Amino acid sequence: ATAAEMLRELRGWPLLDGARGAAKADADAAARAISALSVFAASQGAAMESVEINPLRVLANGDGALGLDALIVRAD
């Protein structure tokens, strides 16, 4: 729920929500991906310095989201 709320606060939210007659994106899948990444990062504790997925491609509503690239930096 928090990830979904954060998405709705983005300046680009209208693009995900079907601006200008475009199809809505799968914002629920994007929120689940953000939440799962957060859970993963928290589970690593001090062993991980940072983690990112960039870009996260959000497909049409019902089709999911896809991380196209990711970076995990271990703390050493």
Side-chain angles (χ1 to χ4, degrees):
T2 301
E5 183 179 323
M6 291 169 67
L7 284 172
R8 288 190 296 274
E9 292 173 358
L10 291 173
R11 185 175 60 203
W13 169 251
L15 297 174
L16 295 173
D17 198 37
R20 299 184 197 130
K24 288 188 177 194
D26 199 339
D28 289 340
R32 287 192 304 273
I34 293 166
S35 180
L37 185 62
S38 176
V39 169
F40 168 74
S43 76
Q44 300 306 301
M48 188 171 60
E49 183 176 311
S50 64
V51 60
E52 69 177 74
I53 296 176
N54 185 15
L56 177 68
R57 181 164 185 192
V58 184
L59 304 174
N61 195 26
D63 289 341
L66 183 63
L68 300 179
D69 192 17
L71 175 67
I72 298 172
V73 179
R74 292 177 44 131
D76 289 324

